[in-house]
Structures are given as C-alpha cells and as structure tokens.
C-alpha cells in the first residue's frame, strides 16, 4: 500500500495546486536511439529472416525496442517511423485502457463499481445495474457485440449498422439500445459497445474537471508527458460526440498512431507509469490493469491462443503464448495491429499491417503468436541449455559496490597458488600501483588477501612479459598452479602456447603450441595448488577456434595427466559421451567434439570447481559486449545447465569473467567475480573489477 498512498499524495498535491483538478505533467525529454542487435541480445541473422517473414505476411511496419534502444525497424515502401497507421482495436488498450488506468489512478472510479454510478439510467435496468467497470473492461458485461459473424461493419442491420455509421452516435446506441444477452460476468463475449459504455463511464467520472473528454485526458496526462507530438497520434475517429452533457470519444477503435508513438505508450507501461524519473501514474494501478482481471476468458477453439484479459489489456498470465514469458501484456486490433510488451525481457514490439494468418480459416491470436511472437522470441539470444535444478539464480551486489584496481588493465586469469596467494596476468595495461613504466600486452601480478581486503602487486618478468596492443601481443588466457609449478596459456600466438614457471612467475619457459582450435584456452581450477581435484588429470577448455576475438559455435575440452602437462602428445580431446553419459576421448584433436554448444555465442571463458555445491561452474562470454552466463555441471564434461544468463549486464562492454576458487564461500553459495570492461557512464571498468555474488539454491 506504500506506493498507492504515495500516488494518492501526489494526486492530492496536484489537485490543491489546480483548484480541484489534476494537473497535466510537462513532457520529459527522451529520444529513441538505435542499438546494434547483438548488444541488445538479438541475433542479426534471425532478424533478417524475420524481415522476410513479415514482408511475406502483409506487414507494413515492424518496430522492436529493447533496453531503450531501437534494435530493429522495418517498413514497407509506403510506410515509415513517422507515418501514422490505423490502430483498429489496438485502441482498446491505447485509448480505452490508458484512460481507464488514469481514472483508477485518480480515484475517479473503482474497478468493481457498478457502472450505473456513471451511467445513471442503468440503475433501473435489472441486468444493466449488475454490470461493473470490470465487466466492461474485460468483455464480460453481456452487452451484445455490434457485429454479426461473416458480415462487415457496414453489412450489419438495425442498431448494429447504426453503431458503425455513428447514427445518431455510437454511445447512445451502446448504452440504450444494445441488449444484455447474458448475466454480467457469466462468460466472455467480445463487445465494442461494451467498450463504448466504458468510455462513457470514464468520461462521466471526470465531469467537472479539467478533462472533459478522454482525448484531452490522454493528451495532457500521457501523450504530452511522454513526448508524443500531436502529429503522431489521433484517437476516436477524430470525432467528439455530445451526449447527455458529456463529450464522448471512441475508445474501441478509430485511432491513428505512428509505431514509435505506440512504443512510447508501451514504454510507459513497461516502466510501471514512470517516465524519465517522473511517476506519471502510480505503479500499483499499472500492475493491476495489466494483471489477469479474474473474469471468464475467451474460449480457445481450434488452437487459437486467445489471451486472458486484464483491464482493457491482454496478458499472458497462464502462458497461452508458450514461447513468451508470462509477464507479457499486449493490445491488438483487426489486421493484427499489435503492441507486445515483455517486462522481464525489457522488450517492446509494434507491428502494423494486415492479418498475418492468410489461411482459409485464419486465426487471430494464433496467427500473431505463430508469425510474430514466436519469431521474435527465436531471434533473442537465449541461454543454450535448461535452467539449473540446484541453482535458482545468482544475485550480484549493486554496481556502486564494485571495487576496482589496476585501471587501464584487463584480462585477469587467476589461480590459487601453493603459498596461499593468487597469481594472475593482465593485458594491455600497466598493472597495479606502482604501475610499470611501459604498457604491457601481458603483465603478471600477485593478489594477496581476501575478497574484501585484497591487494595487487606486479611481478616483473623478462620472459613472461610481452608487448603489443590487442591481437598484436600475446596475452594470458589461463593460469594454473600445480605442485608448485605455475602454468600459463598464452593466446594470440597462433593459436595458443603453454609456458611454465618454477619460481612463482619471475621466469618462464616456453612450451608447445596448439595449432588446431584452442585459440583462447583456460585451465579448470580447483583449490589451493590444485587441491581437491577428483582424478589425476588437468583439464582445459576453449572456444573452438584459433581466434580469441571471434565468437564460435561450441566449447571444446582437453585433458592431460597432471605429470605430463608439458607433453603435447599426452593430451586427449573430448569427443562426446557414451550411452551412459561417460566421456569419450581421442588423442587426435581433429576428432574433438563439443563439450558445450551455443551457436555463434561461445567467446572467452573460465571454469572452476565449487566444492560446497559439488558443481563445476563455467563463466562463458557470449560476446565482448556484456552478454554472458554461468553454467553448472556435475562433471567437467557436463551435462551443463544454466545458473545465470544475461544479454546485457548493465555495465557496458564487459568481458573476461573469472571466478577465483580462493574467493568461493565455504558452503559454495557465494563468490567474488573478477571481470573487466570499458568506460561506461562515469565509471571505467577497464580494470581489476571485483563484484560480490550470492548463489540461491533449491536446498
């Protein structure tokens, strides 16, 4: 109730300032910006396929917005982002739903009020007096529809024809002539006249205020504040009807909006009534109108995926759109004019055109689901494997608590050494204070202390350091301490090369090179000095390719007896599992198979064993732009499940995710992540960045 009280306090202040009438809110500056699909969690190739599908399905416009960026925008030759398109019954949400939301927010009416409070002559009708605002907003009022199946609007007869011809006006016909054909609340029956009655009730509730009609209400309270100019929208067939002393505007159709204007309304609802820091509508009411309203639902004959009703919006609360998250809500009208919003994905989709399903007996929502919703979901970069059964989620501390050191240096593979310290390497930087005098492609360092009081110290090594920016210089991709010897895998060496040090990083001896795949390998790390390893092998992983800067389809795995790490001929390569799930190995790298698959999204990685949970954790970047995940498995070869995944971590272009074994909690339910990035906002993540994480488990 806190947010509701806060909203009412805001309304009270506004009312005092405006002599009893809620004030309009000034527009807040906000401009759409474009975003690269991959930076926003979309696959460019799949979006290109979606364009072809839309073009073949009579689409005039498709707009996809994610993370406040226009990810994809496509129009047929006669349309564009600034051209208005008719809404049809999408107006029921954009006009009817939004005006009802404001009335609820302002306390002008309540969802379960009898409608006769606002349509007084209904009180004398035994059926109409039982109709509530909720019934009108969910098509359960019993008021007969103004359409006869198989006929167009203007092929109707009697009052139904006059409703569409607006003779004398649709509101008098809806409130006085349209019969109630079943007990209100008994079942679902789509009703345009019912929506007209809702518009009447909402308008009546504002009688005597600064908002004599819902067009004015929307203009001053929604469209102006969210920055939609007059040229980008109209509603109510551009007509206002004077009936019973009220100025009535159609809310069931008759709208014309640009796609971006529709998307702005979707954004306001996605952000629960907040626009650029201004709470235009109380979030409590936004949630209520977008939630299942508890009334009978539309039948779903022939596989049509008709959704449940919120209050003049539709919602996916029961998962009828199987590929779409259940928090999704939508509005839609004839010809499949659609607005889809998915809060959990921070996603807005607007589509205009003609009916998507062009079969002899087309499905309305079924066509939208099959030809729009599902392809958009398929174009998203999703986790490649099923959710973890043991890990329910991983929560990271707020960004302001991230601790940074060694600015302008990144990479940071880590291993827990025999002396209790951690050894690491940095790339393209100067390391910790006091910084080295010349920028290094590969530098070495020691990390002492715990995750809350760590200290970094550079290690100088003529044989371990290298020069050259980016791909031009060798850089460590993996480190391992085993029996007092420190091993380092260097990438950018065509493909990668093994080095080792017997004096804790001061001097290094070069070893063999991988010439096939394994371009950016990382060791599987266990405890201090490799303590806790379950067998006599050392394991290393890599994305399956030669280039540390490319994204590949799969991750590959190799193993070697722990006493033969320096001998290339002793390595075996994972090629799959047998019928019992056991690993199959080959001495030939050409016979390698995937240990993990994520087509086009296997980038740099780190793998560690969590002894508290008895799970292997793989931190795998999907790209170099902040998309990554943590995957868990009971064995080094899997099977892998998703513990955490994000396509946008909210910190810009982060990369190099490492989970130091030393900084895993004893019970396994927490760790400190080390990562790097670039400048984002006022913060530079091109550094040794440490962020605390908590693992939520099913136990």
């Amino acid at each position: 109730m806190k947010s509701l009280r806060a909203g009412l306090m805001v309304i009270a202040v506004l009312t005092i300032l405006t002599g009893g009438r809620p004030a309009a809110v000034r527009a807040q500056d906000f401009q759409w910006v474009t975003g690269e699909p991959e930076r926003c969690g979309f696959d460019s190739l799949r979006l290109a396929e979606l364009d072809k599908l839309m073009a073949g399905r009579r689409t005039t416009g498709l707009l996809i917005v994610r993370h406040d960026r226009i990810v994809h925008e496509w129009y047929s030759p006669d349309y564009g982002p600034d051209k208005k398109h008719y809404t049809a019954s999408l107006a029921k949400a954009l006009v009817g739903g939004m005006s009802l939301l404001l009335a609820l927010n302002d306390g002008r009416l309540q969802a379960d009020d009898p409608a006769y409070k606002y349509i007084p002559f209904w009180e004398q009708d035994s059926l109409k007096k039982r109709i509530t605002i909720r019934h009108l907003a969910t098509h359960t009022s019993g008021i007969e529809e103004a359409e006869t199946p198989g006929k167009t609007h203007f092929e109707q007869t009697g009052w139904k024809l006059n409703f569409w011809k607006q003779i004398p006006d649709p509101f008098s016909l809806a409130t006085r002539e349209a019969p109630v054909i079943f007990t209100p609340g008994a079942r679902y029956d789509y009703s345009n006249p019912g929506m007209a009655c809702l518009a009447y009730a909402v308008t009546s509730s504002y009688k005597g205020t600064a908002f004599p009609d819902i067009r004015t209400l929307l203009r001053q309270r929604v469209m102006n504040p969210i920055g939609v100019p007059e040229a980008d929208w109209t509603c109510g067939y551009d007509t206002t009807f004077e009936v019973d002393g009220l100025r009535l505007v159609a809310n069931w159709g008759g709208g014309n909006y640009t796609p971006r204007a529709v998307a702005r309304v979707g954004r306001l609802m996605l952000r629960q009534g907040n626009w650029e820091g201004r709470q235009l509508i109380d979030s409590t009411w936004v949630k209520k109108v977008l939630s299942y309203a508890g009334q009978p639902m539309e039948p779903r004959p022939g596989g049509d995926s008709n959704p449940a009703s919120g209050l003049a919006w539709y919602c996916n609360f029961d998962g009828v759109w199987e590929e779409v998250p259940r928090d999704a809500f939508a509005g839609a009208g004839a010809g499949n004019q659609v607005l889809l919003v998915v809060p959990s994905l921070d996603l807005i989709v607007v589509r205009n055109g003609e009916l998507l399903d062009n079969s002899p007996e087309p499905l309305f929502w079924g066509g939208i689901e099959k030809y729009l919703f599902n392809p958009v979901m398929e174009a998203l970069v999703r986790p490649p494997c099923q959710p973890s059964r043991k890990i329910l989620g991983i929560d990271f501390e707020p960004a302001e608590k991230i601790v940074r050191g060694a600015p302008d240096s990144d990479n940071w593979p880590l291993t827990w050494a025999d002396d209790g310290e951690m050894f690491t390497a940095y790339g393209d930087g100067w390391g910790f204070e006091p910084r080295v005098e010349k920028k290094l492609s590969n530098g070495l360092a020691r990390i002492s202390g715990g995750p809350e009081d760590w200290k970094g110290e550079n290690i100088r090594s003529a044989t371990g350091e290298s020069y050259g920016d980016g791909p031009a210089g060798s850089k460590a991709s993996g480190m391992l301490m085993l029996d007092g010897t420190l091993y380092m895998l260097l990438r950018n060496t065509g493909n990668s090369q093994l080095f080792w040090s017997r004096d804790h990083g001061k001097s290094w001896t070069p070893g063999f090179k991988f010439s096939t795949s394994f371009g950016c390998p990382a060791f599987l790390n266990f405890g201090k000095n490799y303590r806790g390893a379950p067998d006599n092998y050392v394991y290393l992983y890599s994305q399956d390719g030669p280039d540390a800067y490319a994204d590949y389809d799969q991750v590959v795995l190799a193993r070697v007896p722990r006493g033969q790490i320096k001998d290339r001929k002793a390595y075996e390569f994972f090629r799959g599992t047998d019928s019992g799930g056991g690993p199959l190995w080959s001495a030939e790298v050409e016979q390698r198979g995937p240990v993990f698959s994520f087509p086009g999204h296997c980038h740099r990685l780190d793998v560690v064993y969590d002894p508290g949970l008895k799970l292997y954790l793989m931190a795998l970047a999907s790209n170099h732009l902040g998309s990554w995940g943590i995957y868990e498995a009971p064995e080094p070869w899997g099977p892998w499940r998703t513990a955490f995944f994000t396509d946008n971590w909210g910190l810009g272009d982060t990369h190099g995710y490492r989970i130091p074994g030393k900084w895993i909690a004893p019970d396994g339910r927490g760790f400190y992540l080390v990562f790097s990035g670039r400048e984002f906002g006022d913060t530079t993540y091109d550094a040794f960045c440490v962020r605390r994480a908590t693992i939520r488990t099913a136990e």
Side-chain angles (χ1 to χ4, degrees):
M1 293 299 293
K2 181 178 179 181
S3 59
L4 177 58
R5 288 195 297 269
L8 292 175
M9 289 176 65
V10 170
I11 294 166
V13 172
L14 291 172
T15 302
I16 292 170
L17 293 176
T18 56
R21 296 172 297 190
V25 183
R26 291 181 298 175
Q28 298 296 302
D29 291 335
F30 170 81
Q31 298 298 325
W32 296 115
V33 296
T34 57
E36 297 176 26
E38 275 68 25
R39 289 179 182 269
C40 298
F42 274 94
D43 186 310
S44 296
L45 295 178
R46 288 187 178 271
L47 288 176
E49 293 173 1
L50 180 58
D51 284 348
K52 295 178 183 178
L53 175 64
M54 291 294 101
R57 291 278 166 184
R58 303 176 293 183
T59 297
T60 56
L62 175 66
L63 172 62
I64 300 176
V65 177
R66 194 161 195 222
H67 307 319
D68 265 352
R69 287 167 170 77
I70 294 177
V71 178
H72 194 68
E73 197 167 21
W74 176 91
Y75 296 99
S76 64
D78 295 333
Y79 284 87
D82 300 319
K83 184 171 182 178
K84 295 194 293 289
H85 194 286
Y86 73 89
T87 63
S89 287
L90 177 55
K92 288 180 172 66
L94 299 177
V95 181
M98 295 306 295
S99 58
L100 173 60
L101 171 59
L102 289 168
L104 292 166
N105 178 85
D106 294 351
R108 308 304 304 187
L109 48 66
Q110 298 296 322
D112 293 313
D113 281 349
Y116 71 73
K117 288 182 63 175
Y118 314 97
I119 312 174
F121 49 88
W122 277 13
E123 189 174 7
Q124 306 307 314
D125 187 297
S126 61
L127 278 177
K128 288 181 178 178
K129 71 180 298 183
R130 299 170 63 178
I131 296 173
T132 66
I133 299 298
R134 186 183 302 273
H135 293 147
L136 295 173
T138 57
H139 300 284
T140 58
S141 67
I143 296 175
E144 187 176 10
E145 169 60 323
E147 293 183 3
T148 302
K151 294 183 179 181
T152 67
H153 290 170
F154 299 103
E155 293 174 340
Q156 307 296 321
T157 59
W159 73 266
K160 295 183 179 182
L161 176 61
N162 290 336
F163 179 87
W164 297 112
K165 285 189 171 183
Q166 302 178 354
I167 301 173
D169 70 85
F171 296 95
S172 295
L173 295 166
T175 57
R176 290 175 164 86
E177 293 196 32
V180 178
I181 59 176
F182 58 82
T183 301
R187 60 184 173 89
Y188 179 100
D189 194 15
Y190 193 82
S191 177
N192 283 287
M195 287 297 296
C197 296
L198 179 65
Y200 188 112
V202 169
T203 305
S204 176
S205 77
Y206 277 101
K207 190 172 184 178
T209 73
F211 311 116
D213 57 72
I214 60 177
R215 182 185 294 109
T216 303
L217 177 67
L218 292 177
R219 180 188 299 117
Q220 296 188 26
R221 297 287 297 283
V222 175
M223 305 307 277
N224 286 351
I226 66 175
V228 180
E230 293 282 339
D232 286 5
W233 74 288
T234 64
C235 68
Y237 303 98
D238 280 331
T239 303
T240 303
F241 297 90
E242 298 277 353
V243 179
D244 299 333
L246 301 174
R247 292 170 51 85
L248 298 174
V249 174
N251 67 349
W252 60 90
N256 283 276
Y257 285 59
T258 66
R260 293 188 181 188
V262 174
R264 281 183 179 248
V265 177
R267 182 181 186 265
L268 177 65
M269 299 300 279
L270 173 70
R271 279 155 180 70
Q272 298 184 2
N274 189 283
W275 191 266
E276 297 298 280
R278 300 280 306 268
Q279 197 67 41
L280 304 181
I281 307 169
D282 192 284
S283 62
T284 302
W285 290 113
V286 176
K287 292 175 186 176
K288 285 183 177 180
V289 301
L290 298 178
S291 300
Y292 171 49
Q295 295 300 295
M297 295 191 295
E298 184 176 5
R300 296 167 178 173
D304 206 356
S305 48
N306 300 317
S309 290
L311 295 177
W313 290 85
Y314 295 105
C315 61
N316 193 37
F317 91 102
D318 63 343
V320 64
W321 307 323
E322 294 182 359
E323 301 301 318
V324 181
R326 293 194 176 203
D327 65 335
F329 58 91
N336 292 161
Q337 320 312 319
V338 180
L339 167 63
L340 171 71
V341 181
V342 188
S344 59
L345 297 177
D346 198 15
L347 176 67
I348 302 168
V349 179
V350 180
R351 185 267 179 189
N352 291 124
E354 297 182 46
L355 203 63
L356 285 160
D357 186 354
N358 56 13
S359 63
E361 296 183 4
L363 298 177
F364 184 83
W365 282 107
I368 294 173
E369 180 188 21
K370 181 177 181 179
Y371 298 112
L372 179 64
F373 291 175
N374 290 353
V376 169
M377 294 299 111
E378 290 167 5
L380 282 165
V381 177
R382 297 290 193 95
C385 44
Q386 293 296 313
S388 170
R389 291 171 177 160
K390 192 166 187 177
I391 296 177
L392 299 179
I394 299 177
D395 302 316
F396 293 91
E397 282 198 331
E400 57 267 23
K401 293 191 176 183
I402 295 171
V403 179
R404 300 182 303 279
D408 304 316
S409 305
D410 63 7
N411 217 18
W412 310 113
L414 291 141
T415 191
W416 191 356
D418 56 347
D419 61 0
E421 311 286 29
M422 290 195 296
F423 284 81
T424 188
Y426 56 89
D428 291 337
W430 293 265
F432 295 97
E433 296 290 346
R435 309 209 309 175
V436 299
E437 67 282 356
K438 185 177 180 180
K439 184 179 181 180
L440 295 173
S441 175
N442 190 64
L444 298 148
R446 175 189 294 107
I447 308 294
S448 59
E452 300 287 349
D453 61 355
W454 57 268
K455 179 181 179 181
E457 178 185 359
N458 295 331
I459 300 171
R460 303 310 306 269
S461 171
T463 52
E465 295 173 355
S466 62
Y467 298 90
D469 283 342
S474 61
K475 296 172 175 62
S477 58
M479 299 193 80
L480 178 72
M481 172 66 82
L482 173 62
D483 299 331
T485 298
L486 190 60
Y487 295 91
M488 177 169 61
L489 293 163
L490 286 182
R491 57 180 171 87
N492 304 350
T493 59
N495 299 8
S496 58
Q497 186 173 9
L498 178 70
F499 284 72
W500 60 86
S501 171
R502 293 190 177 93
D503 57 6
H504 291 80
K506 297 176 184 177
S507 60
W508 293 85
T509 302
F512 70 86
K513 290 185 178 182
F514 284 107
S515 57
T516 300
S517 189
F518 291 87
C520 190
F523 288 108
L524 165 59
N525 269 271
F526 287 91
K528 178 179 178 182
N529 197 28
Y530 209 60
R531 185 181 302 163
D535 56 30
N536 196 41
Y537 288 94
V538 167
Y539 296 86
L540 56 138
Y541 300 79
S542 176
Q543 63 263 53
D544 188 17
D547 188 351
Y549 298 86
D551 303 322
Y552 293 96
D553 292 343
Q554 58 194 33
V555 173
V556 289
L557 170 65
R559 73 175 185 179
V560 62
R562 59 190 294 164
Q564 298 176 266
I565 296 177
K566 304 168 189 175
D567 182 3
R568 167 63 183 84
K569 295 180 181 179
Y571 282 72
E572 295 180 311
F573 302 90
F574 178 80
R575 61 185 181 89
T577 57
D578 59 25
S579 59
L584 301 172
W585 304 92
S586 173
E588 304 298 327
V589 67
E590 291 77 12
Q591 295 185 17
R592 70 192 182 282
V595 72
F596 184 92
S597 295
F598 195 178
H601 296 90
C602 292
H603 204 67
R604 300 175 194 171
L605 53 79
D606 186 66
V607 189
V608 67
Y609 182 66
D610 183 333
L613 297 181
K614 296 181 172 58
L615 292 174
Y616 294 86
L617 304 179
M618 175 168 62
L620 174 67
S622 305
N623 54 35
H624 215 62
L625 307 173
S627 175
W628 68 291
I630 296 176
Y631 307 94
E632 57 88 349
E635 301 289 349
W637 46 87
W640 298 93
R641 287 181 169 270
T642 304
F644 165 82
F645 179 81
T646 179
D647 57 52
N648 186 330
W649 206 30
L651 301 178
D653 296 350
T654 53
H655 60 270
Y657 311 97
R658 317 284 184 177
I659 303 176
K662 182 181 178 182
W663 289 355
I664 295 176
D667 65 359
R669 289 171 170 80
F671 61 86
Y672 286 77
L673 182 81
V674 174
F675 69 96
S676 299
R678 296 181 180 177
E679 186 172 341
F680 183 71
D682 297 329
T683 304
T684 296
Y685 293 107
D686 183 15
F688 184 85
C689 301
V690 180
R691 190 176 195 182
R692 186 177 181 181
T694 301
I695 298 176
R696 289 180 282 111
T697 66
E699 299 176 356

